[in-house]
Amino acid sequence: MTEKQNNTVFTTCPGIFSYARVSEPRFEDNRVDEDGNPVPIYSTMFLFDKKEKAFKKAFDAAVKAAFDKGVKAGKFNAKAFATVKKPLRDGDAELESGQQENEIYKGRYFFNAVTTKEPPKVMKAVGGQIVPIDSSDEFYSGCIGRLLGSCYAFKVPTSRGIAVGLNGCLKLKDGERLDGRPNVQSAFDQFAAEGELDESEYEGDSGDFV
């Protein structure tokens, strides 16, 4: 995949996943299906560096393409682009206003991506190949990767604008966890050689083999 967008569909530059809920859904009281059952919601925030100007241009084009589709569908007036709600937010502006406090927003743009009913595809790059991530522990808030998304127009009684649908996530590498949990593998890396010791080689005062 490339960073070039095709109409409303785009693949991001490398960035940071945050508030990642892609394997276990959340539920909202006002989101129910036609039978009144709660709709599962899968979502993530995606942050990318403001220096990624090529992707920013592609993202803006996808937003405009979604707006144009909304106009054709009768959701917007053709002159309303400046006033409808848009998905991209400025981390520096929100830090300055107090809407955000974490320094991770500094120098970055961000947006939220959502899908419902079915979880998005979550993949990783291994040995030059793209393979599925089987464990939910592997994909977390703070890991680095790319997002496959699509912009679409929405109009509800209280709001109208452009939102981002979450199609898939690609993990490229680990990053600092943003959910407060330690990275277990990193914490134990320094002890990897201990797995090769047998009881006769063990020396120390930190405990006994069981």
Side-chain angles (χ1 to χ4, degrees), residues 154-190:
F154 70 89
K155 183 179 180 181
V156 296
T158 58
S159 182
R160 60 178 184 163
I162 309 301
V164 177
L166 175 59
N167 299 325
C169 304
L170 173 64
K171 178 181 176 180
L172 297 175
K173 61 180 181 179
D174 287 310
E176 181 179 353
R177 295 191 73 114
L178 303 176
D179 56 8
R181 294 176 57 188
N183 186 312
V184 177
Q185 180 175 341
S186 296
F188 288 149
D189 274 347
Q190 60 181 309

Side-chain angles (χ1 to χ4, degrees), residues 114-176:
V114 178
T115 189
T116 59
K117 298 182 180 178
E118 298 292 333
K121 298 291 186 182
V122 183
M123 317 292 283
K124 62 181 176 180
V126 178
Q129 295 186 336
I130 304 302
V131 299
I133 289 180
D134 297 323
S135 171
S136 60
D137 291 334
E138 281 192 75
F139 190 87
Y140 54 87
S141 297
C143 64
I144 310 300
R146 294 177 184 261
L147 181 145
L148 177 62
S150 53
C151 292
Y152 63 92
F154 70 89
K155 183 179 180 181
V156 296
T158 58
S159 182
R160 60 178 184 163
I162 309 301
V164 177
L166 175 59
N167 299 325
C169 304
L170 173 64
K171 178 181 176 180
L172 297 175
K173 61 180 181 179
D174 287 310
E176 181 179 353

